[in-house]
Amino acid sequence: MSESRHIRDPVFGFIGIDGTESNIISSPIFQRLRRIRQLAFANLVYPGALHTRFEHSLGVCHIASILSTKLCLKDNEKRLIRLAALLHDIGHGPFSHVSEEALEIYTDREKRPGNLNKTDKIHEKITAQIIKTDSDWNRSIAGTDRDIIIKILGPGYGDPLLHSIVSGPIDADKQDYLLRDSHFCGVRYGVFDMDQLHRELRSVDDPVEGKHLMISQDGINALEQFVLAKYYITNQVYRHRVRLITDQMLIRAITLGIDVDQIEQLNQIYAYDDTPDFLQEYLAWDDSRFLVTFTDDKFEGKYCHNLLNRLNERRLLKEIYRKPIKDLPEKCRDPLLNISGPKNRKQRAELEEKLWKTICKTTQDTSTCKITCDPDDPRLLIIHSYTIKSVRTQSRNDEASIPVDRTPKEPSTFEEESPLFNSINEELSQAFVDIYAPVSYDTTVDRRRLRKALDELISENITSFFEGGKDADA
Amino acid sequence: MQTRDFVLFAHGAFGGGISGRTALQKKIYFLGIMLGENHGFSPHYYGPYSAQVADANSELKSLNYLKEEVNVYGWDHQGFEMVRYDYSLTEDGQKLLQRKKKEYPEEWEKILECANRIKDAGNLNYMELAMAAKAYMILKREGGKADRNTIKTVAEGLGWSIDETELDRAIDFLDKIHLAYWK
């Protein structure tokens, strides 16, 4: 690769790019990534977290390049890996992962737009469609190269090693976001020794499936550090309480905006089909336009407007209930863990309506807490369930099976070779149910009082909802 | 059918629980192949692996539907304990299984039938199941047909420290669950 430009990056210093990459970066479609923040509204917790998919994409390209060189890829493979890394997030919609959830809700999978399979991720389909069809890149990327890039981003080209550089347990994407998100959030959780990790990477040849990524024994500590970094930043940043609330508020703004406010513009962004018209509309949106458009006065009185304004002004819903799902009766647990899924929206709305009555009554009885919306309207109450994996579980699913070079012996696995992970006892993952409500209080004492008053009542209401029994009175 | 229900049915169909994480992965892999369902399996150096299945199993544990027991069966070359993770459905898990059977009766019957075929094909240990999975990958690469010697040659190339009897068992297994067509 002949580097024609260097871009100053706060994490890696100078990032070199060649002429083709420069053309791609200059295209409007890539520049749009400057207006899509990496961590949506995480800046409401970590004020520095204003970085975007744009610089992240450059960082991933930079790391993918280092990995390609280290793993002795051919020049052409390296060129294509760099392009795949640069374009891996090109299909992100406003507020990144929030859009993925909205696309899942409003896309008619039965119609199989774009030959969408049951397990396909819609934003990855959009990414592929952009790479395949964008006319701005006609002179930069040949048609055959576009097909290969799409295949590298999916697991369908060459050795698994190629795919693992852009999408795998220790891919360039994860390496960049750990370091970059730490840097911009001002935390040190995502830091790991990247140089040592790269130094100790190898490729191992599997006669059946081709080359795989492997690590030497001297790299085990760096990989342990990477695993822990991912665990800490997930819990401290990505799963931060306020981040969970803001993401849910955004999703609710979109769903109410489409279902109740009947804003057709919103529906057009999220009802995916594989037509050029959809793509054109989808790509016209970014975080800034989204916020400016739907907080405009013409949408005054709409739910979408209300929730987005709350986000803009940091008047957030409050977490009033949090419970490990296993602490609830048996019949509730399985449906409760599914309650946030797109197929269970009706059931979720019914449960929220039921809980809202209890919450309103309890709040009215508590003179220090107030409801901050129409008490007859349950639509701003959000019940949300999710799992938090233990460090051992997280690592087992991703890094644990990375082969470790023990030449002259046959390779072992990271899980077997890591003394640290061997000594951590297996810990159960935890599944939680949270409730976020439009309430306000003045002090943490008031907050605690409200949560205490609601805890048992909400649990009883959830139980009676799934078991069919008498409601608990507030 | 969502992966969590599929994993629940797999535990139910294999007698209320599966012993060993590798065996769990490989048994569910073969069930998926037989039923035409993927559930997130992708190629790995040590054979097919699905984080989706591991996550679903972990969710069943976190909801107290599944119990995990850690059993020490030896020590490795560094002196660390070698452990096997045995899973069994709890009383709550059995209740959930009964409800899900009513919800998905056809799917349950199919999974049960395939699990019985896997059981009847020989009580393979986790290493043999992993070998069978790899052998199946080789077969697929060869267009669904290969002779036993090809499988053995490729397996040797992988550096598997196994004897021929073990590999024969893996190959017989594929035969018996009707996933192999030999030249």
Side-chain angles (χ1 to χ4, degrees):
Chain A
M1 185 199 91
S2 69
E3 293 173 351
S4 68
R5 276 174 68 190
H6 287 87
I7 299 172
R8 175 86 80 164
D9 179 72
V11 179
F12 300 119
F14 285 106
I15 292 178
I17 51 166
D18 69 15
T20 302
E21 292 159 358
S22 180
N23 288 339
I24 291 168
I25 292 166
S26 301
S27 65
I29 220 162
F30 196 93
Q31 290 292 318
R32 166 182 165 273
L33 297 179
R34 286 185 191 274
R35 301 184 298 275
I36 297 180
R37 287 206 297 257
Q38 179 78 5
L39 297 175
F41 274 102
N43 65 309
L44 295 186
V45 194
Y46 299 103
L50 292 164
H51 54 304
T52 70
R53 294 272 153 191
F54 180 85
E55 53 263 43
H56 167 63
S57 299
L58 295 177
V60 177
C61 176
H62 175 70
I63 296 175
S65 190
I66 297 172
L67 293 174
S68 304
T69 305
K70 168 68 202 168
L71 296 165
C72 304
L73 296 193
K74 293 172 195 147
D75 283 350
N76 193 45
E77 286 176 334
K78 185 176 169 183
R79 180 179 67 84
L80 293 166
I81 286 282
R82 281 182 60 101
L83 288 172
L86 194 62
L87 296 173
H88 81 286
D89 269 354
I90 201 77
H92 269 288
F95 307 107
S96 300
H97 297 293
V98 166
S99 279
E100 289 171 35
E101 208 164 324
L103 283 165
E104 231 7 276
I105 295 169
Y106 292 103
T107 298
D108 186 351
R109 278 186 175 266
E110 296 294 311
K111 287 186 182 164
R112 298 197 61 221
N115 294 322
L116 198 63
N117 287 324
K118 208 167 65 175
T119 52
D120 284 341
K121 289 182 179 158
I122 298 167
H123 80 280
E124 288 173 2
K125 278 274 171 191
I126 295 173
T127 299
Q129 196 182 344
I130 296 168
I131 294 172
K132 182 111 183 131
T133 60
D134 188 67
S135 57
D136 280 345
W137 302 337
N138 276 347
R139 280 190 300 171
S140 308
I141 322 175
T144 46
D145 283 352
R146 292 181 188 218
D147 290 339
I148 295 173
I149 291 165
I150 291 166
K151 284 180 184 164
I152 290 173
L153 289 170
Y157 178 79
D159 294 321
L161 181 68
L162 299 187
H163 179 65
S164 65
I165 292 174
V166 288
S167 179
I170 47 173
D171 60 29
D173 183 26
K174 292 187 186 72
Q175 291 185 38
D176 182 79
Y177 74 59
L178 287 178
L179 296 172
R180 192 169 300 279
D181 293 348
S182 288
H183 176 87
F184 283 97
C185 290
V187 300
R188 295 287 171 268
Y189 298 116
V191 177
F192 63 96
D193 190 345
M194 191 176 79
D195 293 337
Q196 175 66 5
L197 185 67
H198 289 180
R199 203 173 115 92
E200 301 305 329
L201 287 177
R202 312 275 184 269
S203 80
V204 57
D205 207 3
D206 176 327
V208 184
E209 292 152 20
K211 287 178 184 163
H212 280 258
L213 196 65
M214 180 163 72
I215 191 149
S216 80
Q217 284 183 308
D218 287 346
I220 285 175
N221 288 155
L223 186 51
E224 287 169 347
Q225 210 186 6
F226 175 87
V227 173
L228 289 174
K230 204 171 69 165
Y231 175 72
Y232 289 137
I233 206 165
T234 300
N235 289 337
Q236 293 296 324
V237 177
Y238 311 141
R239 288 293 176 100
H240 189 283
R241 182 173 48 84
V242 173
R243 173 85 201 279
L244 292 178
I245 293 171
T246 56
D247 276 6
Q248 288 305 309
M249 286 175 72
L250 272 169
I251 293 163
R252 189 56 60 98
I254 295 167
T255 55
L256 289 177
I258 294 173
D259 300 339
V260 183
D261 300 333
Q262 304 270 308
I263 303 173
E264 184 50 27
Q265 265 177 305
L266 266 177
N267 189 43
Q268 282 173 0
I269 306 173
Y270 295 113
Y272 166 72
D273 62 45
D274 58 340
T275 60
D277 287 348
F278 167 81
L279 199 59
Q280 193 181 359
E281 180 64 20
Y282 182 81
L283 291 173
W285 290 91
D286 52 52
D287 296 6
S288 324
R289 183 181 170 205
F290 192 97
L291 279 178
V292 169
T293 302
F294 299 115
T295 53
D296 188 273
D297 287 349
K298 79 171 181 182
F299 292 112
E300 179 84 52
K302 304 279 190 192
Y303 288 103
C304 180
H305 180 273
N306 176 351
L307 281 162
L308 293 177
N309 264 329
R310 281 172 179 263
L311 283 162
N312 266 343
E313 294 161 13
R314 208 187 185 283
R315 288 183 292 115
L316 305 180
L317 302 185
K318 300 281 191 273
E319 182 203 276
I320 55 163
Y321 177 85
R322 186 175 210 235
K323 182 80 75 187
I325 296 180
K326 70 176 168 53
D327 291 354
L328 291 163
E330 183 273 313
K331 267 191 177 172
C332 307
R333 291 179 219 148
D334 181 64
L336 206 48
L337 192 55
N338 290 336
I339 200 89
S340 303
K343 287 181 187 160
N344 301 309
R345 293 176 65 214
K346 187 166 172 279
Q347 189 182 45
R348 185 186 193 180
E350 286 166 4
L351 178 56
E352 284 168 351
E353 187 176 348
K354 180 185 170 91
L355 293 172
W356 181 240
K357 288 177 190 155
T358 304
I359 291 161
C360 281
K361 186 154 190 332
T362 309
T363 311
Q364 280 158 9
D365 293 347
T366 318
S367 58
T368 49
C369 298
K370 278 188 293 218
I371 298 284
T372 58
C373 70
D374 175 1
D376 292 328
D377 188 351
R379 289 186 173 121
L380 299 192
L381 183 81
I382 299 175
I383 183 161
H384 175 53
S385 65
Y386 55 96
T387 53
I388 290 184
K389 295 174 198 166
S390 70
V391 63
R392 189 79 192 260
T393 308
Q394 261 191 30
S395 117
R396 176 161 20 90
N397 286 354
D398 293 329
E399 302 86 3
S401 56
I402 292 173
V404 175
D405 186 8
R406 301 187 306 157
T407 309
K409 291 190 210 164
E410 64 190 77
S412 179
T413 60
F414 172 63
E415 188 175 32
E416 285 165 12
E417 291 298 310
S418 161
L420 177 67
F421 280 81
N422 258 312
S423 62
I424 296 176
N425 286 327
E426 184 69 22
E427 180 201 333
L428 286 179
S429 299
Q430 287 257 59
F432 290 95
V433 57
D434 286 0
I435 294 176
Y436 312 133
V439 295
S440 70
Y441 32 72
D442 293 329
T443 66
T444 49
V445 175
D446 297 336
R447 174 175 174 258
R448 254 181 264 138
R449 202 173 287 152
L450 178 67
R451 287 178 68 115
K452 195 174 171 197
L454 283 170
D455 188 75
E456 211 168 304
L457 286 170
I458 289 179
S459 296
E460 285 171 12
N461 271 275
I462 290 174
T463 305
S464 73
F465 181 82
F466 288 111
E467 291 189 335
K470 194 178 176 299
D471 289 353
D473 283 332
Chain B
M1 175 177 244
Q2 68 168 339
T3 303
R4 196 165 72 238
D5 293 338
F6 195 84
V7 174
L8 173 78
F9 276 1
H11 283 295
F14 282 104
I18 295 174
S19 291
R21 276 187 201 148
T22 309
L24 171 85
Q25 283 279 333
K26 305 309 175 208
K27 282 180 177 174
I28 292 177
Y29 169 72
F30 282 118
L31 282 179
I33 297 278
M34 293 159 91
L35 293 163
E37 293 194 35
N38 182 295
H39 295 289
F41 279 94
S42 58
H44 251 253
Y45 186 74
Y46 285 92
Y49 179 84
S50 164
Q52 208 172 303
V53 165
D55 275 348
N57 202 55
S58 179
E59 281 171 5
L60 288 170
K61 277 193 299 168
S62 67
L63 297 176
N64 203 24
Y65 291 130
L66 197 63
K67 186 175 151 198
E68 180 183 80
E69 273 182 293
V70 184
N71 292 309
V72 178
Y73 65 93
W75 285 266
D76 68 10
H77 61 281
Q78 290 178 312
F80 286 107
E81 288 171 338
M82 287 161 71
V83 295
R84 193 186 62 219
Y85 295 85
D86 294 335
Y87 300 101
S88 56
L89 291 172
T90 61
E91 202 177 309
D92 287 348
Q94 291 289 358
K95 284 181 195 166
L96 179 68
L97 178 65
Q98 296 315 317
R99 279 206 309 280
K100 293 283 179 179
K101 280 184 194 174
K102 283 180 193 159
E103 198 178 337
Y104 304 106
E106 281 178 28
E107 287 85 347
W108 162 250
E109 284 304 323
K110 282 181 192 164
I111 288 176
L112 186 63
E113 189 201 322
C114 291
N116 286 337
R117 262 162 65 194
I118 290 173
K119 282 189 274 186
D120 294 344
N123 191 22
L124 263 57
N125 64 33
Y126 77 100
M127 283 294 287
E128 291 164 336
L129 281 167
M131 269 179 242
K134 276 279 188 183
Y136 180 69
M137 300 293 285
I138 297 168
L139 263 177
K140 260 179 44 179
R141 195 186 63 164
E142 301 291 322
K145 290 186 177 180
D147 59 39
R148 290 182 177 227
N149 284 337
T150 309
I151 306 273
K152 283 179 186 171
T153 309
V154 179
E156 278 161 15
L158 284 166
W160 294 345
S161 50
I162 48 154
D163 62 35
E164 291 219 350
T165 319
E166 284 178 318
L167 186 56
D168 279 340
R169 272 172 66 76
I171 291 172
D172 283 343
F173 170 79
L174 290 179
D175 241 344
K176 286 177 183 162
I177 61 170
H178 313 305
L179 281 181
Y181 300 93
W182 311 106
K183 272 183 184 169

